Structures are given as structure tokens and as C-alpha cells.
Amino acid sequence: MANLRLMITLITVLVCLFSSFTKSSKDIRIDLPKSLNLTLLTDPSTISAASQDFGNITTVTPGGVICPSSSSDISRLLHYAANGKITFQVAARGQGHSLKGQASVSGGVVVNMTCLSDVVVSKDKKYADVAAGTLWVDVLKKTAEKGVSPVCWTDYLHISVGGTLSNGGIGGQVFRNGPLISNVLELDVITGKGELLTCSPKLNSELFYGVLGGLGQFGIITRARIVLDHAPKRAKWFRMLYSDFTAFTKDQERLISMANDSGVDYLEGQIFMSNGVVDTSFFPPSDQSKVADLVKKHGIIYVLEAAKYYDDPNLPIIHTVIDKLNKSQSYLPGFISMHDVTYFDFLNRVQVEENKLRSLGLWEVPHPWLNLYVPKSRILDFHEGAVKNILSKQKSASGLALLYPINRNKWNNRMSAMIPEVDEDVIYVIGLLQSATPQNLQEMESVNEKIIRFCKDSGIKIKQYLMHYTKKEDWIEHFGSKWNDFSKKKELFDPKKLLSPGQDIF
């Protein structure tokens, strides 16, 4: 009997010890003092919405959500989190367009940045001061009213300014004007210590460059001063088909080399594969079956997509660009199509596709996306090993496969955002934007893993974009020569590691 009581006592002690070691942040109840004048939302619908993201792969439940009315609300929250009796972590969330919970926090506080939305165009129309929760589509609408617009865009405009700048911001104008983070003049940032600092290349520059592409590790962006220029009225929008990958990439690279010579303003590329859905809707109805047959015949077809912005269709430069695209490209004869659309409709083109998918119930599904930067010198190897031998052989593919070059000299290496550390002028952007079902999610994630493994085994020095690593050594490898500086900035601006825990870096 004594032995039984002893055993029960030992088990009780072990359970208590185990509980103390496994207690997570979500076991801590967050009670914000009235002096903060902040309302912590904990109702089921708010918590549920903040627990999911666009990836629809992970669920991370926060302790509560706040909807700030100003930057000072966020500053007070972070100051309290850093100095209060109970330390909790904080995640800034815009549209939640992350893939694996990067904008989430287990048991901590999510800051709903969409509550801060505003666009103010300067008197000289050279820049706009934009609240971080503003969607890019609203930036476009507000600035276009003044006849101006930002000079670079992401493909999808229904994401927040702050979230985009925390990652990088890439799209078809990057070859000409650089990523979105290269077109920012000034920021307001709240550090992990609750300090509200204005920063620029000359003021608090260490924070300025660190936050741009810094994955939310050093501070929460609350305002960004965005470069503006003339807003064109319309766009000539082209798509050309190729069966030869070398000809396709050669033409893409030639077009981006003309960036400073009044060439095209936008350039991307897609890959059509016979094991996936081939969207022929851009082409005239009379050609759509021909395009589908072409993909079936070759197995893989490459789509060069370009656009030229303009105001007056009679300007000679428009005819010159159209003539160059018609006569100097090596696309398959007859397989070129052009649309003439408004500038807004071109930039907001993905919204049309989103509406279609939503109507079919195919938008809020798992998105096992893989985004890579690949050095130009290895793009043929990547195509052979990853596209032909892995992607085209998977059982099924659903979504877009993007592949297009950008000019490396448009990136500022002082920023935290990473591209391959190679001495090359051109880097390729790869976007494998697949949609999955619960049944084939594992297969698609396995395909992504095979592609990454192939690149590593082949010595292709890739960098991932919108990545999610769970091991510190992977983050050290990702940041490469910037890792030591990145770590020092974390200690300087967020010493208690409160910010953006969903990235799993520290």
C-alpha cells in the first residue's frame, strides 16, 4: 500500500513537472490593463479568422486580436508586452496572404493591420504616404485619381502594403524598377520595444533597410512613403507561345535588357503542361483548341507575357514596340495574341481570376506554393531537372507555373530580402502557384520537396521567397552573408523576440 501511494505521488510530481515544461504561450491568458485603452477581441469568429491564412495548410490560434485606430495603439501594446508582468508575442497581419502561418502567433496577440488604411498623395505628386494596412488596389485607385501611380506592382493587388514590404514585393515590373521594397522613401516603424521611429536611407537607416524584406522581425511598419510617377491610361497586353525553352528565355532576357530603351513595361512568363489545366482564354475562341492541341503535342509550352503602357495610341513608340514584338521574337508563328485594356484592368487582372475561382468554391483551398529565385546560369539545368523531370511527371497539376527573368542591379543589397548570392546580372523568378485538395496536398508538397532537393543536389544556388523554415540552420543558410547582421538587428530592435513568431526564425 505504501509503495502504491509512493508511486501515485511520483506520478503526480512528474505530471506537474511535465506540465510546467510544456506550457505554451497559448496557455497564458492575456488581460490588457484599462490604461492601454485597447480592446482585445476574443470572440470565436474573430479568433477563427486570425487562425487561418491564404495557404490553408496550418491553423494557429491567437489569444486575441486588436484593431488599432492609430500607430500609438500598437506602440502601447508592444511596450506593455515587452515590459509587463506577462510577456506575450505579437504578429502583424494584413490580408493573411502567408502560406504556412507566418502572420500568426500561438496564444499571443494578432494586430489587424487592415484597421489602418489611408493614402495621402503629396502636393508635388512625387510620393504617397500610405498606411500599412492599405490594399495595393486602393493605393492604385487613390493615386490614379491624381494622375499618378506607384512604379512597381505585385501581380495581386488585394494584399496589404505593410505585409508586402516585409517580404519584398515582386511582379512583372521588377526588371525595370526593382521590387516594391526598392521604391520606398521612408517608413514609420514600431520596434519590438514599442518605440515608434521614422526611418529612411538617411534617418535610422539600419532599421529602414532591415525592415524592408525583414519578415516582420525588427518592427511593425505602420506607414510607407511610396514613389509615384505618371499613371498611364491603357496597356497593350501580349502573349506569345514557344515550344523551345532556350528561344523562350533568350527572348525574355533580350526584352529585359531593353528596360532603359523604351521597351516593354511588364514581362513575365508561364509554363503550360499537359498534366495540368491549360487556360486558353486569353487567345481568340478560334485559336483556343489549337493552343490546347499544341500543349498536348509538345507536353510543355512556354508563354511569354508582356505589356506596354501608353496614353496616346498614336505615339510612334507604341507602334515600334508592337513591331519589335511581332518581328523580332522567336515565338511559334501565328501564336501571338494582344489585348488592349485600361491600366487599372491590367494591374487588377488577377482579381478577375479570383472571382471565377470563388464562384466555383476553388479559392479557399490549400495553396502549397513554392517561390524560388534561380541564377540565370543554371536556368537550363532547373528546367531539365525540375520542370521536365519532376513537375511534368506529377500525377496532376492545378494552378500557375511562372518563370521570368529580372535584373539583379535593381535590388539593394542593404535590404534584408535575399536573392541568390551569385555574381550574375540576371536572376529568374519561379512561381509554382498550385492549388490542392486535402487528398492531394501531400503529393504536391512532396513535389516541392523534390524540387528543392534537386536544386541542392545539383548545386543550384536558389533562394526561396515567402519561405517557411523550422530549423535555425536553414534560416542561417537562407540569409547567408547577412545572417550575423540580421541577428544583431533582432537583438537591437526586438531583444525579447516578441515580433512575428510565425516565421520560426528565432
Side-chain angles (χ1 to χ4, degrees), residues 155 245 248 252 268-273 275-279 300-305 369-371 382-383 386-387 391-392 394 397-404 429-435 451:
D155 289 329
F245 183 71
F248 167 66
Q252 281 189 315
E268 287 193 7
Q270 293 185 34
I271 304 173
F272 286 168
M273 291 179 286
N275 64 332
V277 177
V278 178
D279 183 3
I300 304 176
I301 287 293
Y302 313 96
V303 186
L304 191 154
E305 183 175 43
W369 287 9
L370 178 64
N371 297 276
F382 180 87
H383 172 259
V387 177
L391 275 176
S392 67
Q394 71 180 102
S398 176
L400 287 176
L402 304 178
L403 188 152
Y404 58 96
V429 174
I430 312 294
L432 307 178
L433 314 182
Q434 301 209 67
S435 299
I451 290 172

Side-chain angles (χ1 to χ4, degrees), residues 351-407:
Q351 181 67 17
V352 176
E353 300 303 317
E354 177 187 341
N355 291 339
K356 289 180 184 177
L357 292 171
R358 282 190 183 278
S359 68
L360 297 171
L362 298 175
W363 182 254
E364 294 180 354
V365 298
H367 295 102
W369 287 9
L370 178 64
N371 297 276
L372 304 172
Y373 298 114
V374 177
K376 170 188 170 182
S377 63
R378 303 302 303 275
I379 196 61
L380 292 178
D381 297 327
F382 180 87
H383 172 259
E384 186 67 27
V387 177
K388 292 180 69 175
N389 290 334
I390 299 177
L391 275 176
S392 67
K393 293 181 179 179
Q394 71 180 102
K395 291 180 181 178
S396 63
S398 176
L400 287 176
L402 304 178
L403 188 152
Y404 58 96
I406 57 176
N407 292 313

